[in-house]
Amino acid sequence: SKMTVKAVKMPCTSANVYPKVPDGGWGWTVAFAFFVVEALTYGIIKSFGVFFNDLMESFDETNSRISWIISICVFVQTFTAPLSTVLSNRFGHRLVVMAGGLLVSTGMVVASFARSVVDMYVTIGVVSGLGYCLSFLPTVTILSQYFDKRRSLVTAVASTGECFAVFSFAPAITALKEQIGWRYSMLSVGVLQLGITACGSLLRPIVIREQEAVKAQPPEESTETKYMLENEQTCTSIESIDSGVDITTSPSNVPGKTKAEPKSEEPKQHGQNPVENNSTPPEPKTKLLDFSVMRDYSFICYAFFGLFATLGFFAPSLYIIPLSRSLGIGKDHSAYILSAMAIAEVLGRVFAGWLLNRKPIRKIYIELVCVVLLAVALVAFPFASGFWGLMICSVYFGFMLGTVAGTHIPLLAEDDVVGIERMSSAAGVYVFIQSLAGLAGPPLAGVLVDTTKNYSSAFYSCAAGMVLGAVFLALVRPCKTGLCHHHHQQQQQQVEESTAGPPPELPDDFIDMDIGKAENSGKGSDSV
C-alpha cells in the first residue's frame, strides 16, 4: 500500500483511506469498472469464434492454425501475469490498466489490416494478449481489496460483464459483418476496447490504516509490566543468594535478560515506539512479487487445478459455432446458441456468488462440485443433435461455466488457499501457471478436430482436463489442514529440538557455586 500511495500523488488520483475494509463505498465504482473491463477483455475473447470461419476462408488456413490466434493471446495474457503484479505494485493499478487498454485496442485495430495469420499472431496474440493481462488482473485484485464479507457476491456479479458481452457482441458482430465485412467489424471492436482506459482511471488505490486500533491496548502493557515485575522479583531472589556473581560467570542467566527487557519497556510508556513498530511491518508487503506462495501445498494443488481446468474454459466457446454449422444449423441460429450460453453463464455467476456468500458453507467444496458438473456438461456436447439439443447443452454448460469462471480467482483470497494478504502475488503466479494450458488447449483441440474430422474430440479433450482439475481441487483442503498438517508439526518439533539444544540455560558453574556457598554458610552457622 505504501508503494501505491507513492505512485499516485495528483489530487484527482488520491487514494481512498479507510480504517477497515469498506465493503462498499468507492468499491461500487470499482465493481462497475470491472464489469466493463470483463466485457471488453474476456467478452471479446469468447466472441472471437464469430470471426473463425471468415479467417479460415480469407487466409486459407486450417482450424489448428486459426486456433493459435486465441491460444497465443491467452498464453501471453496468463504468462505475463507476474509482470502485471510487479507493475501494479510499482506504479499502481490505475496506470497499468490504462496502459493495458491502449495495448488491447492497438492490437485489435492493427489486426483488422492483417494480410496473413502470422500478422494476427503478433497483433492479437502478443500485443492484445499483453494488454488483456495488464487490464484484467489488476482490476480484479483491487476489487477484492474493497470488499470482505460481500467479496464473493460482488465479484461474481461484476464478472458477468463478459457474459453480457458475448450475449450482445455475438449477434451484433454477426450482423455487422454482413454489412461492412469482418475487417471493419474487427476495427470497430478495437475502437470500442478503448473504454478499458476510461475504466482504468476509476481504480483509486485503497489504504487501510489500523494504527489507531493497535495503540489503544493498555491491557497488554499492564500484563507485560506485571510479567516484568514478576521476573524482577524472581531475579532479585536469585541475586540475593549469589550476590551478583552469576552475572559475570554465566552470561546466559536470567538477570542478564532483565537488563535487556526494561529497554523495550520504556518506549511503550512514552507511547512512541508502537507507532514506529506499526509502520515497519508493511515493508515486507511492498515486495514486487512474492514467490513464497509456492511453498504452500494447498496453493500448489490449486494452481494445478487452474492449469487443467483452463483447457475447458476457452475451447468450447471457440468451437460451439463450428459445431453447430457442422450439424446443419444456420449462422443466425448459431449466434443465438452462443448468446444463450452467455445468458446462462450470467445466471451461473450470480448463483455462485450468492451461494458462496452464505456463512456456513465451505467454499472450496462448492467449487469442486461445480467443476465436476462442468466436466459432465463438456461430455454432453458430442451427444447433442439438432438445434434444441445443442441449445440445452450450451445453456447447461454456460451455467456451470459461470459458477467456476467467476469464482476461481477470487477464491485465492480465502484462507483455504492463501488468504487476502498474499492474494496479489498468488494471483500473478496462479495465472502464470495457467498460461501453459492456455497455450496448449485450443491448438490441441484444433489438431484433434483436423485428425478425427469431428468436433466432438475437442470437447472430450476439454472434459479430460476438467476432470484432472477436479482431482487437484479436491486435494486443496486436505493439504491445508489434514494430510500435510501432521507433517508440518513433526518438522516444527524437530526444529524446536535442534534449536533448543542441550543445557546452556543451566550452566554447571552456577550450580557448583551455589552448592559451595550453601556449604560455607552451613559451616559458618555450625561454628556460631
Side-chain angles (χ1 to χ4, degrees), residues 344-389:
E345 188 174 348
V346 171
L347 299 177
R349 288 173 183 265
V350 175
F351 174 77
W354 172 82
L355 185 61
L356 294 179
N357 203 43
R358 311 299 295 176
K359 290 287 184 182
I361 291 179
R362 180 69 64 182
K363 299 180 180 180
I364 201 73
Y365 293 149
I366 299 299
E367 186 81 356
L368 176 60
V369 173
C370 294
V371 170
V372 173
L373 295 177
L374 182 58
V376 175
L378 290 168
V379 176
F381 270 103
F383 298 96
S385 60
F387 173 77
W388 289 109

Side-chain angles (χ1 to χ4, degrees), residues 100-231:
L102 291 176
L103 288 175
V104 170
S105 178
T106 302
M108 190 65 69
V109 169
V110 176
S112 64
F113 300 98
R115 296 301 175 186
S116 66
V117 69
V118 177
D119 296 337
M120 287 201 165
Y121 291 164
V122 177
T123 54
I124 296 180
V126 178
V127 179
S128 293
L130 178 60
Y132 286 138
C133 177
L134 299 182
S135 302
F136 171 77
L137 197 57
T139 309
V140 68
T141 301
I142 194 172
L143 178 62
S144 299
Q145 296 174 3
Y146 271 94
F147 292 91
D148 182 17
K149 297 179 181 178
R150 303 173 180 172
R151 183 186 300 128
S152 298
L153 181 60
V154 173
T155 305
V157 174
S159 65
T160 58
E162 68 176 85
C163 309
F164 283 106
V166 176
F167 170 72
S168 58
F169 288 168
I173 295 175
T174 302
L176 193 61
K177 287 192 307 177
E178 300 295 333
Q179 301 296 327
I180 61 177
W182 70 267
R183 290 187 181 273
Y184 287 107
S185 299
M186 189 174 292
L187 176 64
S188 302
V189 172
V191 174
L192 182 63
Q193 287 178 316
L194 280 175
I196 298 175
T197 303
C199 293
S201 63
L202 300 176
L203 303 181
R204 289 184 182 177
I206 180 173
V207 176
I208 306 297
R209 291 183 179 175
E210 298 180 349
Q211 285 96 349
E212 297 179 357
V214 179
K215 287 181 184 178
Q217 291 180 353
E220 291 186 359
E221 294 183 0
S222 61
T223 54
E224 288 181 358
T225 52
K226 288 180 181 180
Y227 178 73
M228 295 295 299
L229 290 174
E230 291 176 359
N231 283 342

Side-chain angles (χ1 to χ4, degrees), residues 48-61:
F48 195 78
V50 175
F51 296 104
F52 217 79
N53 292 329
D54 298 307
L55 297 179
M56 291 175 60
E57 295 175 1
S58 298
F59 299 140
D60 192 20
E61 297 289 353

Side-chain angles (χ1 to χ4, degrees), residues 154-365:
V154 173
T155 305
V157 174
S159 65
T160 58
E162 68 176 85
C163 309
F164 283 106
V166 176
F167 170 72
S168 58
F169 288 168
I173 295 175
T174 302
L176 193 61
K177 287 192 307 177
E178 300 295 333
Q179 301 296 327
I180 61 177
W182 70 267
R183 290 187 181 273
Y184 287 107
S185 299
M186 189 174 292
L187 176 64
S188 302
V189 172
V191 174
L192 182 63
Q193 287 178 316
L194 280 175
I196 298 175
T197 303
C199 293
S201 63
L202 300 176
L203 303 181
R204 289 184 182 177
I206 180 173
V207 176
I208 306 297
R209 291 183 179 175
E210 298 180 349
Q211 285 96 349
E212 297 179 357
V214 179
K215 287 181 184 178
Q217 291 180 353
E220 291 186 359
E221 294 183 0
S222 61
T223 54
E224 288 181 358
T225 52
K226 288 180 181 180
Y227 178 73
M228 295 295 299
L229 290 174
E230 291 176 359
N231 283 342
E232 289 178 359
Q233 290 175 1
T234 55
C235 293
T236 51
S237 63
I238 298 174
E239 287 179 356
S240 63
I241 298 175
D242 296 359
S243 355
V245 178
D246 295 339
I247 299 177
T248 57
T249 58
S250 56
S252 62
N253 271 342
V254 177
K257 294 181 181 179
T258 57
K259 287 186 177 182
E261 288 178 352
K263 294 181 182 179
S264 62
E265 184 182 358
E266 292 177 359
K268 292 181 181 179
Q269 294 176 354
H270 293 289
Q272 295 177 354
N273 267 2
V275 179
E276 297 177 358
N277 291 334
N278 290 331
S279 61
T280 52
E283 292 181 359
K285 296 182 181 179
T286 59
K287 292 180 180 180
L288 296 180
L289 188 63
D290 186 9
F291 278 100
S292 64
V293 294
M294 295 300 296
R295 295 195 295 266
D296 194 336
Y297 294 127
S298 61
F299 173 76
I300 293 175
C301 291
Y302 197 81
F304 276 108
F305 149 70
L307 176 68
F308 291 107
T310 305
L311 293 174
F313 284 169
F314 296 100
S317 299
L318 292 176
Y319 285 99
I320 187 64
I321 291 181
L323 176 63
S324 63
R325 295 296 302 275
S326 67
L327 295 177
I329 301 174
K331 293 182 179 180
D332 296 336
H333 289 80
S334 299
Y336 293 151
I337 292 175
L338 192 60
S339 299
M341 181 190 297
I343 295 175
E345 188 174 348
V346 171
L347 299 177
R349 288 173 183 265
V350 175
F351 174 77
W354 172 82
L355 185 61
L356 294 179
N357 203 43
R358 311 299 295 176
K359 290 287 184 182
I361 291 179
R362 180 69 64 182
K363 299 180 180 180
I364 201 73
Y365 293 149

